[in-house]
Amino acid sequence: MSTHEIPLSKPDITSLEIDLVTTALRSGRLSIGPMQEQFEMSLAARVKRDHGVACSSGTAGLHMALLALGIGPGDEVITTPFSFIASSNVILYVGAKPVFVDIDPMSLNMDPSKVEDAITPRTKAILAVETFGNPMHMDAYEQIAARHEIPMVEDCCEALGCSLKGRPAGSFGRVGVFGFYPNKQITTGEGGMVVTDDKRLADICRSLRSQGRPLPSSPVGTSSTSDAPAFGMGGPGVAGHSALGSWLTHERLGYNYRMSELQAALGVGQIRRLDQIVEARQRVAGLYTRQLMDAHELMLPTIDPQAVMSWFVFVLRLSTEYSREERDRVIAALRRHDIGAADYFPCIHLQPFYRERFGYRAGDFPIAESVSARTLAVPFFNTMTEQDVDFVCRTLKLMVDRENIQR
Ligand SMILES: *Cc1c(COP(=O)(O)O)cnc(C)c1O
């Protein structure tokens, strides 16, 4: 049947990125250099933020954002149970408690009215996720956070290039975090970035990503940024005695969450091509929509008319008469035909670790659970051809019908 494998996702790397990475390699400067700075400035500008802090992953960025906001043990953070697990795990990293609220079945993001109801005196932040890159309700969460005088953290790891009412993902709330794993809209292999207009928060994140080195404004901070290269080529001393003093001063418990120059160079190329990448993704989403619009057993993603999507993934839902087992059989059948498919996302509160630690049970967040039992991600990448989409859709319809007939 199929002549070639159609993967779930595939990075889009051109000679521009390869040349930039080669330039970084030849420069001899492999960490803390000009590529990082360029990547930070171009991405921050793109999402209309004053500061960007590149780091080793989206997870690391979210961890730093919560630390920089001073969230810790005894605090509660409101978030969604329908997401990639990192958005909730980072709340546990800082010793706080994730408080889940159920989703709205259209956008698949948190139901804003339930967010408001979940706020208690212990609530110290709202960590909102643009699930599957859908920015719907981001402005509503922002208003709720402002009303209660708590910060909103935007986990926009799946949403680079999308916007709501003309505002780009990454521009909502106090701080936003992007991720650049290979399946995201742009990739650095591994990587992430914190974006904010708050200079103090950005400075704390710069310190946290580099072993807690002093902020530029602090008395021991003698260099222009906390992680400026006192180690020029990777060895100490090249920038002189005073800089070395600052390099070896650690003001807070920090981490090594830095991004290398090779990763940043890849990011510089990818962000330069972002418009082209978003256009390619919109084209593929359009092909799927046209092919599947009339399939009554499938539900397509619902998009707010005021939103522009950059399409992280293309996730369909089987209609409500289908069970989880039937959905799982459709996924397995697609895979047997060399078509990538996945059950994005199993609910976070029902993951073994969360059940055990917090005592969650099936039924706690019924909408997220019902959606999660019937979602199905299909292959989605920039270079997908019309023939690829045709083949996926024909096979998918066949497999879905077969489950229907066998019932
Ligand atoms: C990808 C992703 C992250 C971060 O992932 P990393 O692999 O750590 O870069 C965080 N939250 C969500 C919702 C994601 O999809």
Side-chain angles (χ1 to χ4, degrees):
M1 275 181 91
S2 78
T3 51
H4 69 296
E5 192 190 332
I6 306 178
L8 193 57
S9 79
K10 192 153 82 177
D12 177 4
I13 307 294
T14 67
S15 55
L16 171 70
E17 289 91 326
I18 293 168
D19 289 347
L20 282 159
V21 175
T22 308
T23 303
L25 270 171
R26 289 193 201 282
S27 76
R29 184 86 157 256
L30 301 188
S31 187
I32 316 177
M35 289 293 186
Q36 169 171 283
E37 207 168 309
Q38 201 182 327
F39 184 39
E40 290 177 339
M41 283 170 46
S42 35
L43 192 135
R46 174 76 197 210
V47 302
K48 301 192 162 75
R49 286 293 206 178
D50 293 340
H51 309 280
V53 182
C55 55
S56 54
S57 70
T59 308
L62 287 165
H63 184 195
M64 292 195 298
L66 295 185
L67 288 170
L69 289 167
I71 293 160
D75 296 340
E76 294 178 356
V77 177
I78 292 173
T79 194
T80 173
F82 189 66
S83 167
F84 179 59
I85 194 154
S87 57
S88 175
N89 278 353
V90 294
I91 299 168
L92 301 180
Y93 294 174
V94 300
K97 184 178 181 240
V99 173
F100 296 118
V101 302
D102 212 346
I103 59 172
D104 116 56
M106 305 302 277
S107 66
L108 311 186
N109 291 334
M110 290 185 288
D111 181 330
S113 68
K114 291 177 182 159
V115 170
E116 188 98 54
D117 292 345
I119 291 177
T120 76
R122 287 169 177 257
T123 308
K124 291 292 149 55
I126 297 172
L127 195 160
V129 182
E130 276 137 332
T131 296
F132 306 142
N134 190 334
M136 195 165 167
H137 303 318
M138 289 301 135
D139 52 344
Y141 309 141
E142 195 177 49
Q143 283 160 20
I144 296 167
R147 203 154 49 235
H148 293 269
E149 296 179 16
I150 52 173
M152 167 179 157
V153 177
E154 182 188 0
D155 177 345
C156 40
C157 283
E158 304 182 357
L160 180 63
C162 82
S163 62
L164 179 69
K165 301 173 191 172
R167 291 180 61 189
S171 70
F172 295 93
R174 182 87 52 90
V175 54
V177 180
F178 289 102
F180 311 117
Y181 186 73
N183 69 343
K184 314 278 178 177
Q185 284 91 337
I186 73 165
T187 185
T188 58
E190 296 282 357
M193 198 180 298
V194 178
V195 293
T196 182
D197 294 330
D198 183 330
K199 180 167 188 312
R200 197 181 139 268
L201 271 188
D203 281 344
I204 295 173
C205 289
R206 284 180 208 283
S207 172
L208 286 169
R209 83 170 160 190
S210 198
Q211 309 288 10
R213 293 193 167 95
L215 306 181
S217 53
S218 82
V220 276
T222 51
S223 45
S224 63
T225 65
S226 60
D227 57 4
F231 284 132
M233 313 291 265
V238 291
H241 189 72
S242 61
L244 185 63
S246 148
W247 182 255
L248 293 178
T249 303
H250 306 279
E251 285 194 324
R252 53 171 61 75
L253 177 61
Y255 302 82
N256 180 357
Y257 279 170
R258 291 186 304 263
M259 171 180 276
S260 77
E261 283 290 281
L262 311 185
Q263 294 167 301
L266 180 46
V268 166
Q270 291 262 285
I271 193 82
R272 234 180 257 172
R273 292 181 49 240
L274 183 60
D275 287 337
Q276 184 191 325
I277 287 171
V278 169
E279 211 172 289
R281 299 179 89 80
Q282 289 171 343
R283 176 189 64 87
V284 178
L287 290 172
Y288 269 122
T289 304
R290 213 169 322 135
Q291 292 255 354
L292 299 174
M293 218 156 42
D294 303 325
H296 66 273
E297 59 281 76
L298 295 170
M299 295 162 73
L300 296 177
T302 357
I303 308 305
D304 185 322
Q306 299 187 90
V308 174
M309 292 292 285
S310 62
W311 297 101
F312 166 51
V313 284
F314 202 80
V315 176
L316 305 156
R317 239 184 303 168
L318 300 187
S319 58
T320 44
E321 62 264 32
Y322 288 86
S323 67
R324 174 187 295 276
E325 291 67 31
E326 288 170 328
R327 188 275 314 266
D328 291 346
R329 279 202 296 271
V330 171
I331 290 177
L334 288 171
R335 288 181 179 165
R336 277 199 301 279
H337 288 82
D338 283 336
I339 295 172
D343 58 338
Y344 290 165
F345 286 116
C347 288
I348 295 174
H349 67 283
L350 297 179
Q351 294 289 350
F353 166 67
Y354 279 82
R355 280 187 195 244
E356 207 170 291
R357 178 135 161 205
F358 297 103
Y360 289 119
R361 285 171 316 215
D364 285 342
F365 302 99
I367 299 171
E369 291 167 29
S370 149
V371 165
S372 165
R374 292 176 293 110
T375 45
L376 191 165
V378 289
F380 193 81
F381 48 93
N382 303 355
T383 53
M384 257 187 114
T385 64
E386 189 156 5
Q387 285 82 352
D388 288 337
V389 175
D390 272 353
F391 177 67
V392 173
C393 291
R394 263 187 290 122
T395 314
L396 174 65
K397 283 181 192 162
L398 217 65
M399 299 308 158
V400 168
D401 282 340
R402 194 175 68 183
E403 291 301 329
N404 199 8
I405 290 158
Q406 283 173 358
R407 195 179 297 138

